[in-house]
Amino acid sequence: MAFRYPLQSVLRLRASLERQEEQRLFAIAAIVAKLSRDLEQFDDARLESQRAVLYEMAESSSGAAIQFASLCDAAAAEKHGKMRIQLIEAERLRTQQVQLYRKARQKREVFESLRKHQAMIYEREAEHREQERTDEAFLIRRIITHEE
């Protein structure tokens, strides 16, 4: 008779829940990576824009150009701040999801460990039963040969 784990359905459920949490973690990690790339690209574009403004200001230092550059820089700083807040929030969600994934994995591992332990006990008992049958067969042969 083959080993049957009575909590196999629970183990499958735990494995499924673990996979779901892992997929959520991957999705959030992708969002964090995208926000991080977007912020880096924005910073690069902002730096390039500042270089262009400095070059233009060196060519002509009109008050309107300086005021416009100042307004653009303030708007860029505000957008950078908002993007940074989004990134921080996404990283916080990722950290939370890592914890949820770890808990789901630990719960699955408990049932997996229990299954392995019960399988080991089953195998030991099966080996013991087989040894008893072998011993019994040996004793029966021995009794039969002594009676003859």
Side-chain angles (χ1 to χ4, degrees):
M1 185 160 105
F3 172 70
R4 271 190 36 85
Y5 182 48
L7 299 174
Q8 187 64 37
S9 59
V10 176
L11 177 59
R12 277 194 305 270
L13 172 66
R14 290 293 175 197
S16 174
L17 293 173
E18 178 186 3
R19 280 190 302 276
Q20 288 175 8
E21 295 301 339
E22 184 180 40
Q23 291 302 315
R24 287 185 187 111
L25 178 58
F26 288 151
I28 293 171
I31 291 169
V32 169
K34 182 188 180 314
L35 288 172
S36 185
R37 274 191 317 272
D38 290 350
L39 185 59
E40 186 177 324
Q41 289 172 350
F42 179 80
D43 285 343
D44 290 346
R46 184 177 177 197
L47 183 61
E48 189 57 39
S49 175
Q50 287 173 342
R51 282 187 193 138
V53 167
L54 286 175
Y55 177 76
E56 187 179 314
M57 286 174 59
E59 294 294 315
S60 69
S61 57
S62 71
I66 294 173
Q67 187 177 12
F68 180 72
S70 176
L71 288 173
C72 288
D73 191 51
E78 184 178 338
K79 180 170 175 128
H80 181 273
K82 288 178 181 178
M83 291 175 77
R84 186 77 187 133
I85 289 170
Q86 285 179 328
L87 179 59
I88 290 169
E89 177 62 20
E91 287 173 343
R92 186 187 64 75
L93 289 173
R94 186 190 58 77
T95 301
Q96 284 178 346
Q97 189 59 38
V98 165
Q99 292 302 317
L100 290 172
Y101 169 69
R102 283 183 181 154
K103 286 178 186 177
R105 187 186 73 226
Q106 287 171 348
K107 288 178 181 179
R108 191 246 334 134
E109 286 174 347
V110 166
F111 283 95
E112 184 69 32
S113 176
L114 183 58
R115 187 195 65 74
K116 286 179 183 177
H117 180 70
Q118 288 183 357
M120 184 180 67
I121 290 171
Y122 175 83
E123 290 298 321
R124 239 189 266 144
E125 288 174 354
E127 288 171 5
H128 181 70
R129 285 190 301 272
E130 183 60 32
Q131 185 62 46
E132 284 178 343
R133 281 189 228 112
T134 303
D135 291 347
E136 188 176 303
F138 174 77
L139 289 174
I140 290 172
R141 271 189 257 121
R142 190 168 172 103
I143 290 172
I144 292 173
T145 56
H146 278 1
E147 288 180 359
E148 294 178 354

